[in-house]
Amino acid sequence: MNEKLKGRKSGVLVGSRQNIALIGFMGAGKSSVSRCLRDLLSMEEADTDAMVVKAEGMAIADIFAKYGEEYFRRRERDVIRDLENRQGIIISCGGGVVMREENVINLKKFSRIVLLTAAPETILERVRHSAERPILNGHMNVEYIAELMEKRRKKYEEAADLIVSTDKKNVRQVCEEVIDRLSETEL
Ligand code: S3P
């Protein structure tokens, strides 16, 4: 870790909202950035998708196929509620988490919320070979991604304490920017 980052590190973690929640569209880089932040900041990591998968014993695509999206959204809400008493964790949120206001209210109570963004073309490049995202099944194209992103944009932006673009940056650069900018913002 470089000197600048070391100095910033402690500043990210003080205050009552000790967790960092990463939100953003599918393929915005939440999981990779979460892993990198976990390592740089020596924090633990919680991934809402992985928590739902573990609780249900099924892949997300199977949960959608068997029980439908609304069921998945309720499980997603439950895992976020369950995180309330955790401290010092990076929370990597599924792309649809902010569509429920209750989730945003809960996340805001105990986390600083960082929105990761990317252009629809970048998103497509990152997710085009994924069969794990039922929302994009049959819609793997820039037009659909751009349209859904636009529909969600307001909710993402309203939820965010900080917005970081990931276009043309590697994971490490995004992490350093998140850490730098979180250290500079009000807690
Ligand atoms: C979804 C995003 C996915 C997953 C589910 C629904 C969405 O998570 O929660 O497939 O509605 O945007 P990622 O953003 O981690 O791909």
Side-chain angles (χ1 to χ4, degrees), residues 24-28 30-31 47-49 60-61 64 69 72-73 76 92-97 99 127 132-135 148 152 156:
F25 203 81
M26 293 164 273
K30 293 162 295 189
S31 303
D47 179 313
T48 63
D49 284 345
I60 288 174
F64 269 68
E69 179 174 351
F72 172 77
R73 297 299 174 198
E76 194 172 51
S92 176
C93 298
V97 156
M99 301 312 289
V127 303
E132 301 295 315
R133 293 179 167 103
I135 297 282
L148 183 57
R152 291 180 171 185
Y156 283 134

Side-chain angles (χ1 to χ4, degrees), residues 14-48:
V14 291
S16 56
R17 293 193 293 155
Q18 289 223 348
N19 303 314
I20 298 172
L22 299 176
I23 62 167
F25 203 81
M26 293 164 273
K30 293 162 295 189
S31 303
S32 321
V33 170
S34 171
R35 270 194 300 278
C36 176
L37 285 174
R38 172 197 69 190
D39 295 341
L40 289 177
L41 298 171
S42 306
M43 290 168 79
E44 283 181 42
E45 198 188 2
D47 179 313
T48 63

Side-chain angles (χ1 to χ4, degrees), residues 137-187:
N137 275 354
H139 305 291
M140 271 301 177
N141 58 74
V142 170
E143 294 71 28
Y144 184 83
I145 289 171
E147 200 177 305
L148 183 57
M149 198 184 272
E150 200 46 47
K151 275 194 198 141
R152 291 180 171 185
R153 180 187 305 281
K154 197 160 175 271
K155 299 242 190 250
Y156 283 134
E157 290 179 354
E158 281 175 358
D161 292 302
L162 187 71
I163 302 177
V164 177
S165 161
T166 66
D167 284 304
K168 301 190 175 70
K169 292 175 194 159
N170 64 35
V171 173
R172 175 72 187 219
Q173 286 171 321
V174 174
C175 281
E176 294 195 5
E177 185 173 337
V178 168
I179 293 171
D180 273 356
R181 291 182 52 201
L182 276 180
S183 315
E184 283 156 8
T185 54
E186 293 277 313
L187 290 167

